[in-house]
């Protein structure tokens, strides 16, 4: 222990009395040091020549344990209390090996791929559509791509749009396919050879969605210019423009029988349109308190299910325009809606990561199913009470809605799943993602 004054070590240059006292301190310290070293040497000799001739190192320091000797005045300041302790090289190696094992396990988990085919694109895959052996993908590079599902061969790169392709699909008979883009146009091609037929224009802003008629070569699409447009894809004729919404038309489509068009808008309104006259049958202003972002038609009845940013879903009778039920329970925007074809159930998927299954007889929440992130799309199996859900947690899950069981979880995407399409027989599906891939799953 140093006897030097702490005050003396921190103050300015010393003069007079304080300087003399410092010199005396140094002289005393030097003598004390010699005494301590002599005593230590004698004690060490006594230790090494113990009566029983055995080492007893408790409380003593061997000479070989001394790493460095300092004079008191030259000793470093004792400020290493918080310094990290030196690590044994052997322990360091073990820790490094353990960390590498953990990282390898995480990487294997992240890279798990359940897909049977992969279709790589230059940019994000915003939309996927499946018909027979064809896969149509719309991308952020302003192009669409037509693939052979079985072989994985890219059949055609479909250029012509000047902005991202956000939608697409095949006609009911598979003769044509069409793509919709943020440039405000729909482009029509023949499926057999990918030949471009015509561009369908009219909207003054980007398209939000498009859909084919259930039994005709007719296309309907909603635009950010607040309108809905309808064309004959085979002839290129403009058939109707539907005006009445006061905000971008974010979702829409035909009823199951193709006789009415329904649309939902950012202004919170829902409208049922007469396709022949172009006039609204019912314009329901304030149907929701927020933008209407998703919509589904019942496969057998004139029922409409809408989802909104107001966190609610609503069931409408299309023939009367009346809201039958308001489904409450989500905590964020309802981005997916759908009806079961086999049971009297409907479902909603939300940004809150939940899928809720509703009993349409009682209007009660029957099941709540969970993803780890936002649910972007849901789709019922065509003949079974099975529900598919796609999420930004990079997975697609299959649920048995009789008991809520998570039947299967498919992985393969490294970034957000943006959408998926189920085959007609329900045996395969394709998903598109921000990771530039479309993946085929069994």
């Amino acid at each position: 222990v140093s006897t030097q004054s702490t005050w003396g070590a921190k103050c300015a240059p010393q003069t007079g009395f304080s300087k003399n006292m410092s010199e005396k301190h140094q002289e005393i310290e030097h003598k004390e040091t010699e005494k301590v070293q002599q005593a230590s040497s004698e004690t060490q000799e006594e230790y090494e020549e113990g009566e029983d001739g055995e080492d007893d190192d408790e409380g003593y320091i061997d000479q070989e344990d001394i790493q460095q000797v300092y004079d008191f005045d030259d000793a470093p300041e004792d400020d290493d209390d918080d310094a990290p302790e030196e690590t044994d090289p052997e322990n360091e190696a073990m820790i490094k090996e353990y960390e590498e094992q953990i990282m390898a396990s995480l990487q294997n988990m992240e890279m798990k791929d359940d897909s049977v085919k992969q279709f790589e694109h230059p940019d994000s895959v915003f939309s996927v559509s499946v018909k027979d052996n064809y896969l149509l993908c719309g991308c952020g590079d302003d192009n669409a791509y037509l693939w052979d599902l079985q072989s994985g061969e890219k059949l055609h790169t479909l250029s012509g749009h000047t902005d991202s392709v956000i939608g697409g699909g095949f006609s009911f008979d598979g003769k044509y396919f069409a793509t919709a883009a943020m440039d405000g146009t729909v482009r029509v091609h023949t499926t057999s050879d990918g030949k471009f037929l015509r561009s369908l224009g009219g909207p003054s802003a980007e398209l939000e969605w498009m859909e084919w008629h259930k039994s005709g070569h007719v296309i309907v699409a909603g635009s950010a210019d607040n309108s809905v447009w309808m064309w004959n894809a085979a002839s290129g004729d403009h058939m109707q423009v539907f005006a009445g919404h006061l905000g971008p038309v974010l979702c829409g489509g035909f009823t199951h029988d193709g006789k009415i068009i329904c649309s939902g808008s950012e202004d919170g309104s829902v409208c049922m349109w007469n396709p022949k006259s172009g006039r609204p049958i019912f314009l329901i202003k304030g149907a929701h308190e927020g933008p209407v972002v998703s919509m589904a038609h019942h496969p057998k009845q004139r029922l409409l299910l809408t989802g909104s940013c107001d966190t609610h879903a609503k069931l409408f009778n299309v023939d009367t325009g009346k809201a039958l039920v308001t489904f409450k329970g989500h905590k964020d925007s309802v981005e997916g809606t759908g009806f079961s074809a086999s049971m009297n159930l409907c479902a909603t998927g939300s940004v809150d990561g939940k899928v809720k299954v509703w009993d349409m007889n009682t209007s009660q929440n029957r099941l709540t199913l969970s993803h780890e992130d936002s649910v972007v799309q849901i789709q019922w199996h065509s003949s079974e009470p099975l529900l598919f859900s796609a999420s930004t947690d990079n997975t697609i899950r299959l649920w048995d809605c009789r008991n809520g069981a998570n039947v299967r979880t498919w992985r393969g995407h490294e970034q957000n799943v943006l959408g998926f399409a189920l085959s007609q027989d329900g045996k395969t599906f394709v998903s598109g993602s921000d990771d530039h891939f479309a993946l085929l799953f069994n």
Side-chain angles (χ1 to χ4, degrees):
V1 178
S2 172
T3 57
Q4 183 175 355
S5 167
T6 302
W7 177 87
K10 295 182 179 179
C11 283
Q14 301 164 330
T15 58
F17 175 77
S18 61
K19 182 176 181 180
N20 293 334
M21 288 300 294
S22 177
E23 291 174 351
K24 290 181 180 180
H25 283 162
Q26 292 177 10
E27 183 178 352
I28 293 171
E29 289 170 2
H30 182 68
K31 291 180 179 178
E32 291 296 323
T33 300
E34 289 180 345
K35 291 181 181 179
V36 170
Q37 289 177 343
Q38 183 178 356
S40 176
S41 177
E42 292 173 354
T43 305
Q44 177 67 14
E45 291 175 359
E46 291 176 0
Y47 160 70
E48 292 176 350
E49 298 173 358
E51 292 180 358
D52 55 3
E54 295 181 358
D55 291 343
D56 182 7
D57 56 359
E58 183 178 357
Y60 293 92
I61 299 176
D62 291 333
Q63 193 69 26
E64 61 186 23
D65 291 331
I66 299 175
Q67 297 182 2
Q68 192 168 354
V69 178
Y70 294 93
D71 289 334
F72 281 112
D73 291 340
D74 298 328
E77 293 184 8
D78 187 16
D79 58 355
D80 291 332
D81 290 344
D82 298 327
E85 296 182 2
E86 291 185 9
T87 306
D88 187 332
E90 186 175 344
N91 288 341
E92 268 189 325
M94 292 176 60
I95 292 171
K96 185 176 181 181
E97 181 181 358
Y98 182 61
E99 289 176 344
E100 289 175 352
Q101 290 175 356
I102 293 175
M103 293 304 296
S105 298
L106 290 174
Q107 188 174 13
N108 290 335
M109 185 184 300
E110 292 172 359
M111 296 301 292
K112 183 180 179 183
D113 190 352
D114 300 312
S115 66
V116 294
K117 275 192 175 60
Q118 302 80 35
F119 307 88
E120 186 173 8
H121 299 79
D123 209 326
S124 298
V125 181
F126 291 130
S127 68
V128 290
S129 303
V130 175
K131 182 73 171 180
D132 300 327
N133 194 41
Y134 293 104
L135 166 64
L136 177 64
C137 298
C139 293
D141 66 347
D142 306 347
N143 294 326
Y145 298 86
L146 188 66
W147 301 83
D148 184 303
L149 267 180
Q150 295 302 317
S151 68
E153 177 188 359
K154 180 165 60 178
L155 302 175
H156 302 285
T157 297
L158 308 162
S159 58
H161 285 295
T162 59
D163 209 335
S164 298
V165 180
I166 52 84
F170 296 88
S171 61
F172 74 100
D173 56 4
K175 184 177 181 179
Y176 305 108
F177 67 84
T179 56
M182 295 182 71
D183 61 9
T185 66
V186 172
R187 293 175 67 84
V188 183
H189 299 252
T190 52
T191 305
S192 59
D193 56 8
K195 181 182 177 181
F196 170 69
L197 292 182
R198 59 187 53 87
S199 179
L200 308 175
S204 60
E206 63 264 26
L207 295 181
E208 302 285 349
W209 55 272
M210 67 149 282
E211 184 177 290
W212 284 90
H213 192 274
K214 304 296 190 294
S215 59
H217 294 146
V218 174
I219 294 174
V220 63
S223 172
D225 68 2
N226 308 350
S227 65
V228 178
W229 292 70
M230 186 169 69
W231 303 270
N232 184 317
S235 66
D237 293 339
H238 163 248
M239 299 176 69
Q240 292 289 356
V241 57
F242 306 92
H245 290 296
L246 301 179
V249 186
L250 304 179
C251 55
F254 291 98
T255 54
H256 74 285
D257 55 11
K259 295 182 178 180
I260 295 177
I261 295 171
C262 298
S263 58
S265 171
E266 189 178 273
D267 65 8
S269 66
V270 171
C271 192
M272 293 80 170
W273 306 92
N274 184 325
K276 294 182 178 180
S277 68
R279 298 179 63 82
I281 302 171
F282 301 105
L283 177 56
I284 308 167
K285 297 181 178 180
H288 283 275
E289 295 179 4
V292 183
V293 294
S294 60
M295 180 176 288
H297 293 274
H298 195 281
K300 299 175 183 177
Q301 304 176 50
R302 291 242 186 113
L303 295 174
L304 176 69
L305 182 62
T306 59
S308 170
C309 290
D310 65 7
T311 74
H312 299 156
K314 288 192 176 184
L315 181 65
F316 291 90
N317 184 320
V318 175
D319 289 327
T320 64
K322 299 294 185 182
L324 304 177
V325 181
T326 298
F327 298 111
K328 300 180 180 180
H330 286 295
K331 297 180 180 179
D332 212 326
S333 178
V334 180
E335 299 289 321
T337 50
F339 291 95
S340 169
S342 60
M343 295 181 69
N344 203 23
L345 303 172
C346 63
T348 54
S350 170
V351 175
D352 64 11
K354 306 297 183 183
V355 175
K356 289 185 176 290
V357 179
W358 308 89
D359 189 321
M360 293 173 59
N361 291 323
T362 64
S363 304
Q364 298 299 308
N365 180 206
R366 176 166 176 163
L367 297 168
T368 298
L369 316 168
S370 297
H371 274 272
E372 296 173 8
D373 210 331
S374 302
V375 177
V376 297
Q377 186 180 345
I378 62 173
Q379 186 171 344
W380 287 90
H381 190 278
S382 59
S383 59
E384 300 290 340
L386 302 174
L387 180 66
F388 295 83
S389 57
S391 169
T392 55
D393 65 8
N394 307 350
T395 69
I396 300 95
R397 298 177 188 260
L398 177 62
W399 310 91
D400 187 333
C401 291
R402 290 167 292 198
N403 52 27
N406 183 188
V407 179
R408 182 79 185 271
T409 297
W410 291 274
R411 293 179 174 86
H413 287 295
E414 297 180 11
Q415 295 186 40
N416 297 340
V417 177
L418 302 179
F420 73 101
L422 188 64
S423 64
Q424 292 165 301
D425 60 9
K427 294 182 178 180
T428 62
F429 68 89
V430 177
S431 57
S433 168
D434 261 334
D435 63 10
H436 301 188
F437 277 89
L439 300 179
L440 174 66
F441 297 90
N442 287 327

